[in-house]
């Protein structure tokens, strides 16, 4: 499995992240049955809020799980489909994340059985980028081939400066003080609202 960030947009403090995942059966002699892929966005974005998530099929024979939300339902697929030898499927995952600031790493874990309805016989954790098997040895689970996909999200950074600009004595130790308060968003990528 490979996974990459296609786009990130932030509006009103909510980041929309679009990922693309490619699931491939690397076997030249065996089908992959009951293919499943799990994406636990709630774990990956700990400390932030996963407001919603969805998955769509871009290409290939795998049926997406319409109930996927990345938190209480992390299965991207129905788990009932087969990938033939060398066959590829591409998924598009869209997540809306709020209250996020920092770098978040995300991975998908794909699994399949060697027989229809059989027990899971193979697992692979996604690799960041376009290639699940960068060394080309037909084993996408090799050393260094399970690098998480990072995304950097920045929340607005608010700075406040306050200073007295005028003092008027009203007599008997009573003063009217005028203050100047300056607010500034120090973030170059996120707009501050409300």
């Amino acid at each position: 499995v490979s996974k990459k960030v296609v786009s990130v947009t932030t509006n009103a403090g909510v980041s929309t992240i679009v990922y693309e995942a490619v699931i491939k059966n690397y076997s030249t002699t065996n089908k992959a049955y009951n293919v499943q892929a799990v994406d636990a966005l709630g774990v990956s974005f700990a400390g932030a809020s996963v407001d919603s998530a969805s998955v769509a099929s871009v290409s290939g024979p795998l049926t997406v799980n319409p109930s996927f939300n990345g938190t209480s339902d992390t299965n991207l697929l129905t788990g009932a489909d087969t990938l033939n030898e060398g066959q590829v499927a591409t998924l598009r995952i869209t997540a809306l994340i709020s209250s996020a600031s920092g770098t978040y790493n995300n991975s998908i874990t794909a699994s399949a059985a060697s027989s229809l309805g059989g027990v899971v016989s193979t697992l692979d954790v996604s690799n960041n980028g376009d290639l699940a098997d960068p060394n080309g040895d037909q084993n996408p689970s090799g050393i260094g081939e399970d690098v998480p996909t990072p995304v950097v999200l920045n929340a607005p950074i608010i700075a406040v400066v306050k200073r007295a600009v005028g003092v008027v004595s009203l007599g008997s130790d009573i003063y009217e003080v005028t203050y100047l308060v300056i607010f500034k968003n120090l973030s170059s990528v996120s707009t501050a609202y409300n």
Side-chain angles (χ1 to χ4, degrees), residues 8-189:
V8 178
T9 56
T10 302
N11 188 8
V14 178
S15 296
T16 301
I17 306 164
V18 178
Y19 293 102
E20 186 174 271
V22 177
I23 301 170
K24 178 179 179 180
N25 178 359
Y26 278 86
S27 175
T28 58
T29 57
N30 297 303
K31 295 180 191 294
Y33 295 95
N34 304 107
V35 177
Q36 184 55 272
V38 174
D39 193 351
L41 294 169
V43 173
S44 296
F45 289 93
S49 176
V50 179
D51 297 337
S52 69
S54 62
V55 60
S57 176
V58 175
S59 65
L62 302 180
T63 306
V64 298
N65 172 13
S67 299
F68 168 77
N69 61 22
T71 54
S72 62
D73 191 340
T74 58
N75 289 334
L76 291 166
L77 306 169
T78 61
D81 298 308
T82 299
L83 278 178
N84 292 325
E85 298 85 341
Q87 198 168 24
V88 176
T90 303
L91 305 176
R92 178 81 32 109
I93 300 129
T94 303
L96 274 63
I97 310 294
S98 61
S99 303
S101 182
T103 300
Y104 298 88
N105 292 307
N106 179 253
S107 297
I108 290 173
T109 301
S111 63
S114 56
S115 63
L116 188 60
V119 297
V120 170
S121 60
T122 186
L123 287 170
D124 183 43
V125 176
S126 62
N127 191 51
N128 182 40
D130 291 314
L131 301 173
D133 184 28
N135 68 12
D137 68 353
Q138 299 303 301
N139 175 12
S141 297
I143 295 173
E145 295 180 327
D146 59 356
V147 176
T149 302
V151 64
V152 178
L153 303 177
N154 291 308
I157 303 166
I158 305 300
V160 180
V161 176
K162 178 181 172 183
R163 70 174 184 183
V165 293
V167 178
V168 176
S169 175
L170 301 176
S172 297
D173 294 330
I174 299 174
Y175 297 91
E176 180 179 284
V177 180
T178 304
Y179 292 97
L180 173 66
V181 180
I182 300 172
F183 295 89
K184 183 175 182 180
N185 180 3
L186 301 177
S187 173
S188 62
V189 295

